[in-house]
Amino acid sequence: MIRKPPPTASIVQPGTGAKMHAPAAERNVDALCALLQRLCPEPGDALELASGTGQHVIRFAAQHPSLHWQPTEPDRDRRNSIDAWATEAGLPNIAPAQPLDACAPGWSARWPDRSLIIVVNLLHLISTPDAQTLVREAALALAPKGTLLIYGPFMRNGALTSEGDARFHASLVETDPDIGYKSDRDLMAWLALVGLPHVDLVEMPANNLGVIAKRTQGDRPV
C-alpha cells in the first residue's frame, strides 16, 4: 500500500482554499514537461498515479490537450487540492481526482487502455513488493502503443551515486526499513517481466531519472 510519506520526503504547504503547494513539485515540473514533450504520447487517456497536490497535472494537461487526464491520489485532502488546482486552471481535459492506491492489486481493470501512465516521486517511498505490484498493474493498464513514465531518485546499478542521495536514502530507511531507493537495474527487470522490455533511461536534474517504457507491436502484457 502507499504509506504516509516520511517527514524528509513530504514538504507540503497550505495554499489558497483547498489548494496545497509542494515546493518539490514546483521545482521539477518544467523538467517533467520537457520530457513529456519529447515523448509525444499518443492521443487518448492519461493516468497519473499518486498525483499529490495537483501542481503537475494542470501543466501536463495544458501541454497535451489531446490527452484526457485522470489524476488519482489516496489522500482525501490532496484530492481536494488537485480539484482546486484543476478548477482554477479551467482546463476541460482534467477529470475530477479519484481515490487510488497504486500499490493495490487489480486497479488496472478500472482504468484500461491508457495512452500514458505517469508516476512521479513514489517508488522510493514504497516497499519493493509494492513497487513490483505498481509496475505490473501499470503494464496491464497500458494501451497497445501506451507509454509508462516513472520519475524519481534511483540507485544506478545498485549503487547510490551522490552524498545527497545517500543521506536521503538513509533517512527513508531509518523511518521505515521497507522503503528507500530502488535500483534502475531492478526496475528494468521488473518491466521486462511484465511485457515491457523496451526501456529508455533519461538522466534528469538533481540526479533524478526518467524511466520510459513504451509498449510496442509484439509486446504482450503479462
Side-chain angles (χ1 to χ4, degrees):
M1 66 177 180
I2 294 181
R3 307 162 188 231
K4 182 178 180 181
T8 54
S10 181
I11 300 174
V12 175
Q13 302 163 348
T16 305
K19 288 195 305 181
M20 304 168 76
H21 181 267
E26 195 67 32
R27 289 193 298 269
N28 64 29
V29 70
D30 286 340
L32 284 165
C33 284
L35 183 57
L36 278 178
Q37 190 68 42
R38 169 178 164 181
L39 294 181
C40 298
E42 293 282 325
D45 295 313
L47 180 68
E48 186 184 26
L49 306 177
S51 298
T53 61
Q55 291 163 261
H56 284 152
V57 73
I58 61 168
R59 291 283 304 276
F60 299 161
Q63 180 173 278
H64 296 281
S66 66
L67 287 169
H68 182 264
W69 288 82
Q70 177 61 70
T72 66
E73 171 59 46
D75 182 81
R76 182 190 299 271
D77 290 339
R78 297 191 182 201
R79 290 199 302 273
N80 291 338
S81 176
I82 295 164
D83 290 340
W85 279 101
T87 297
E88 182 180 83
L91 296 168
N93 58 327
I94 305 178
Q98 295 295 314
L100 170 63
D101 181 351
C103 301
W107 64 257
S108 57
R110 184 179 175 189
W111 285 294
D113 296 322
R114 296 285 144 171
S115 301
L116 174 68
I117 299 175
I118 181 169
V119 55
V120 174
N121 284 336
L122 179 60
L123 263 63
H124 59 295
L125 303 179
I126 60 179
S127 69
T128 291
D130 284 343
Q132 292 170 316
T133 297
L134 182 155
V135 167
R136 181 174 64 251
E137 292 297 321
L140 290 169
L142 278 182
K145 294 183 180 179
T147 299
L148 171 62
L149 171 59
I150 301 174
Y151 168 92
F154 287 91
M155 296 181 188
R156 308 299 199 271
N157 290 317
L160 295 162
T161 57
S162 76
E163 292 184 6
D165 283 333
R167 287 193 299 270
F168 187 33
H169 173 73
S171 73
L172 295 173
V173 173
E174 184 179 7
T175 302
D176 183 342
D178 289 335
I179 67 173
Y181 281 34
K182 311 302 183 286
S183 175
D184 57 354
R185 177 181 56 197
D186 292 338
L187 178 55
M188 292 176 70
W190 303 340
L191 289 164
L193 285 173
V194 297
L196 296 173
H198 305 289
V199 180
D200 290 328
L201 303 180
V202 180
E203 292 292 339
M204 301 288 285
N207 208 32
N208 288 304
L209 194 64
V211 182
I212 303 161
K214 190 173 182 66
R215 189 174 300 292
T216 61
Q217 187 173 5
D219 290 345
R220 295 183 178 181
V222 178

